[in-house]
Amino acid sequence: MKHLKSIFLIFVQIIYYVKNSSASFNLYLSPQEMQRHLGLQAELYYVQDNRINEYALNFTLLLPPKLNTLYFTWKNTDSQELPYSISVETSNRAAIPYPKLNISSSGSVPTSTQTFAVSVPCTETIDAEVLISININVTFPGNNVTKLHLSRRKTCINENLKPYASKNSLTFADSSSVFYIAVCCAVLLILVLGVLITIYYVTDKKNKVAKSSGTGPGTTTTTFLATLPRNSVNISSYASFRRMPSYSLLDERSKDLQERITDLTVQRCRIRLSSIILEGTFGRIYQGSYTNEEGNEDTVIIKTVADHASQIQISLLLQEGMAMYSLNHKNILSILRVSIEDHTAPFLLYPFNNYKNLKIFLQKCKVSSEGVHHTLTTQEVVHMALQIIKAMQYLHKRHLLHKDLAARNCVIDDSLNIQVADNALSRDLFPSDYHCLGDNENRPVKWLALESLLHKTFTPSSDVWSFGVLLWELTTLAQQPYIEIDPFEMAAYLKDGYRLAQPINCPDELFAVMAYCWAMSPEERPTFTQLHVFLQEFFAQLTKYV
């Protein structure tokens, strides 16, 4: 009888515990907050009817530098009171000293849907990567405490040391100042144009006299480069010399550019073409060999054009091919040598380590089972992305912009080592990736940031946008982005908030990175340093399970 009584008491206690532990609550990010964080119209639940989303809790969200307030929505879905306590900590008090809550640090979870805020502004006095930890403890009936740990990572920037000044950073005292400055600039521009026209007229007259007399340097030198397109800026022209005809280059990095090019120039007899790797309407990429100064033969990639190529096409080959000369980084394919001789197309030589074009490599990865070139894992995709990030960090450290970052402008070897290359000949070899929007200029419309599309403005943030599309290419094995969108409608499509969809089998972590890269405002996009930190952590998590 005593045993039955004890069992009955235990049964009553169990019923009481179950009844009194039925209280539940929800904690989530609203669609508006998800739009601010990831550009997605969806809710993200951390707790839903007492079911804890461990995956979401373990995911550290990257915060744009200008995002200073976090919003969380919660609700007690039962009538029983649920006490809570909240604390917020940062890993660097000098960067983010005192996070603030707009609710009490302890109390009861509200029984109606409410939103609370966590303020995490940077002091903007130091550069730092700050980990923000939000700890929430909820006590259920029976003293059952549920502990939730939410992580955010934010990069704080020292505004006094910004390497790239904003276009809007200059201010003037009043409208009269603007008027006088504009008048002065207009007068100066007229004077400069007058001088240039005079010089052109005198030079042209001299050339005509020289040609009519059959003497002068103009009779023995072939000029390969015609007038550049109207969008070309900062063009430097150099006189002809024996080993290399006159040319023009878009490069601001060196005053002794002519001497550097002279150092790169080699005789055509040292170069031997072997086989064509890629071929377009006028562009050719060969595998060949080059005999160096020591007499050794090196295998090289050779970019050139066909005999029927126009002088403008030859000009663009030289401009774009020289964009990355003198750079020294293991993840950048820099030009090795140049060969330019009279009456022949120029040769641009690059080192060859069994490299293949990344876009073509990715496309081969998705063919039929008997023809599969390589099956990529998530770990390999992240590793490839990290290599591209390192290359872009190096470029931006040198205050250089790529402006055409895409899979077609990268190369990869058999060990999945990647190098970022220039975009020479890309318009011809991958014509479906470029579109003309009525301005007589082929541009990679579907890889460009919104401000680059609308205003032709290029910054490190616009390179970050293009990297997001490149990451999408890696996860989709080089599918065509926005394939259903007309190029003329791209700007309106992006302004309306539409973006590329999450690829099949793409981890949420990778898609979150893409979404950050496609933030509407350039200031809200992460830097390549932030991207490297996040993807390095994600890569480390992946390797734990291998």
Side-chain angles (χ1 to χ4, degrees), residues 34-40 62 64 405-406 444-453 460-476 479-482 490-491 493-504 506-528 531:
M34 284 291 287
Q35 181 70 37
R36 293 173 69 231
H37 278 278
L38 301 175
L40 302 175
L62 285 170
L405 184 60
V445 171
K446 297 184 179 181
W447 279 261
L448 291 180
L450 183 58
E451 67 274 11
S452 303
L453 265 177
S461 295
S462 62
D463 275 349
V464 168
W465 180 296
S466 299
F467 171 77
V469 182
L470 172 50
L471 188 55
W472 187 87
E473 288 185 279
L474 292 177
T475 55
T476 61
Q479 288 185 25
Q480 202 70 8
Y482 304 103
M490 272 301 299
Y493 186 80
L494 296 176
K495 285 176 70 175
D496 289 342
Y498 294 102
R499 299 292 185 268
L500 290 165
Q502 182 170 358
I504 298 173
C506 173
D508 292 343
E509 289 87 346
L510 282 186
F511 187 63
V513 170
M514 299 177 205
Y516 277 126
C517 294
W518 303 327
M520 192 79 74
S521 171
E523 291 78 15
E524 293 180 356
R525 296 171 206 155
T527 63
F528 278 107
L531 292 171

Side-chain angles (χ1 to χ4, degrees), residues 214-507:
T215 60
T219 59
T220 59
T221 304
T222 302
T223 301
F224 281 101
L225 302 191
T227 305
L228 295 176
R230 284 176 292 176
N231 60 303
S232 298
V233 294
N234 299 324
I235 302 170
S236 304
S237 297
Y238 298 91
S240 304
F241 54 97
R242 184 172 183 80
R243 293 174 64 189
M244 184 166 56
S246 63
Y247 59 92
S248 301
L249 291 171
L250 286 176
D251 201 312
E252 303 169 342
R253 285 176 286 154
S254 176
K255 293 181 180 179
D256 61 340
L257 182 59
Q258 184 173 358
E259 288 76 10
R260 292 191 181 214
I261 297 299
T262 306
D263 293 338
L264 290 179
T265 304
V266 296
Q267 295 173 327
R268 185 62 54 89
C269 60
R270 287 183 166 189
I271 303 169
R272 183 169 57 87
L273 302 178
S274 298
S275 59
I276 291 182
I277 300 175
L278 287 173
E279 182 176 11
T281 304
F282 63 86
R284 306 281 189 275
I285 298 183
Y286 290 87
Q287 180 179 334
S289 61
Y290 156 67
T291 304
N292 59 31
E293 289 75 8
E294 289 77 26
N296 300 321
E297 197 172 68
D298 297 328
T299 304
V300 292
I301 297 172
I302 303 166
K303 289 186 179 183
T304 186
V305 291
D307 294 336
H308 62 270
S310 69
Q311 291 187 349
I312 290 180
Q313 291 161 347
I314 296 172
S315 173
L316 287 174
L317 169 65
L318 289 170
Q319 290 174 27
E320 296 168 348
M322 291 303 301
M324 292 188 178
Y325 88 97
S326 78
L327 299 181
N328 183 21
H329 191 277
K330 67 177 183 178
N331 296 120
I332 290 181
L333 184 66
S334 185
I335 192 166
L336 183 66
R337 295 290 181 183
V338 178
S339 176
I340 305 180
E341 294 185 356
D342 292 347
H343 309 295
T344 58
F347 283 3
L348 275 59
L349 277 62
Y350 300 81
F352 178 77
N353 291 313
N354 200 25
Y355 285 119
K356 298 170 283 290
N357 183 272
L358 177 58
K359 179 163 186 162
I360 295 175
F361 167 81
L362 292 171
Q363 289 171 337
K364 287 182 178 179
C365 289
K366 62 183 178 183
V367 297
S368 59
S369 57
E370 55 269 17
V372 167
H373 184 71
H374 185 90
T375 302
L376 290 178
T377 64
T378 300
Q379 185 176 342
E380 289 172 332
V381 168
V382 175
H383 178 59
M384 292 158 67
L386 284 169
Q387 294 179 71
I388 296 169
I389 287 174
K390 290 176 183 177
M392 295 307 298
Q393 284 180 302
Y394 176 80
L395 280 179
H396 288 181
K397 189 176 180 180
R398 298 284 297 266
H399 299 283
L400 300 173
L401 302 175
H402 194 286
K403 300 184 182 180
D404 195 1
L405 184 60
R408 62 183 171 272
N409 293 324
C410 298
V411 294
I412 187 170
D413 66 11
D414 294 333
S415 301
L416 301 185
N417 296 313
I418 286 186
Q419 288 189 321
V420 175
D422 57 58
N423 65 334
L425 300 180
S426 290
R427 291 177 181 83
D428 181 55
L429 300 174
F430 300 95
S432 61
D433 290 357
Y434 294 84
H435 300 90
C436 180
L437 300 182
D439 54 4
N440 199 29
E441 178 187 358
N442 270 335
R443 291 184 284 161
V445 171
K446 297 184 179 181
W447 279 261
L448 291 180
L450 183 58
E451 67 274 11
S452 303
L453 265 177
L454 294 174
H455 312 296
K456 297 184 181 179
T457 300
F458 292 91
T459 64
S461 295
S462 62
D463 275 349
V464 168
W465 180 296
S466 299
F467 171 77
V469 182
L470 172 50
L471 188 55
W472 187 87
E473 288 185 279
L474 292 177
T475 55
T476 61
L477 300 180
Q479 288 185 25
Q480 202 70 8
Y482 304 103
I483 192 169
E484 73 285 359
I485 306 301
D486 186 281
F488 286 90
E489 297 175 356
M490 272 301 299
Y493 186 80
L494 296 176
K495 285 176 70 175
D496 289 342
Y498 294 102
R499 299 292 185 268
L500 290 165
Q502 182 170 358
I504 298 173
N505 297 326
C506 173

Side-chain angles (χ1 to χ4, degrees), residues 104-116:
S104 173
S105 59
S106 61
S108 297
V109 179
T111 55
S112 61
T113 301
Q114 293 185 15
T115 299
F116 66 90

Side-chain angles (χ1 to χ4, degrees), residues 28-89:
Y28 59 96
L29 299 183
S30 66
Q32 294 79 10
E33 187 69 359
M34 284 291 287
Q35 181 70 37
R36 293 173 69 231
H37 278 278
L38 301 175
L40 302 175
Q41 280 290 339
E43 294 177 337
L44 174 63
Y45 274 88
Y46 292 103
V47 181
Q48 185 174 24
D49 296 330
N50 278 7
R51 293 192 302 273
I52 297 176
N53 187 346
E54 295 288 350
Y55 185 82
L57 288 173
N58 292 330
F59 180 55
T60 302
L61 276 175
L62 285 170
L63 300 182
K66 298 298 182 183
L67 198 155
N68 294 325
T69 307
L70 313 177
Y71 296 97
F72 299 90
T73 305
W74 63 351
K75 178 184 179 181
N76 178 359
T77 58
D78 195 88
S79 57
Q80 299 186 63
E81 184 177 325
L82 296 179
Y84 75 84
S85 63
I86 301 181
S87 63
V88 185
E89 301 172 355

Side-chain angles (χ1 to χ4, degrees), residues 165-226:
S166 169
K167 285 189 173 182
N168 299 323
S169 60
L170 298 178
T171 56
F172 298 98
D174 50 38
S175 58
S176 60
S177 302
V178 177
F179 173 76
Y180 289 123
I181 291 172
V183 171
C184 292
C185 290
V187 173
L188 182 61
L189 180 60
I190 292 171
L191 290 174
V192 171
L193 287 175
V195 172
L196 291 177
I197 291 171
T198 304
I199 293 173
Y200 173 79
Y201 176 76
V202 172
T203 305
D204 185 59
K205 195 169 183 180
K206 286 182 178 179
N207 287 341
K208 287 180 180 178
V209 172
K211 286 181 180 179
S212 64
S213 62
T215 60
T219 59
T220 59
T221 304
T222 302
T223 301
F224 281 101
L225 302 191

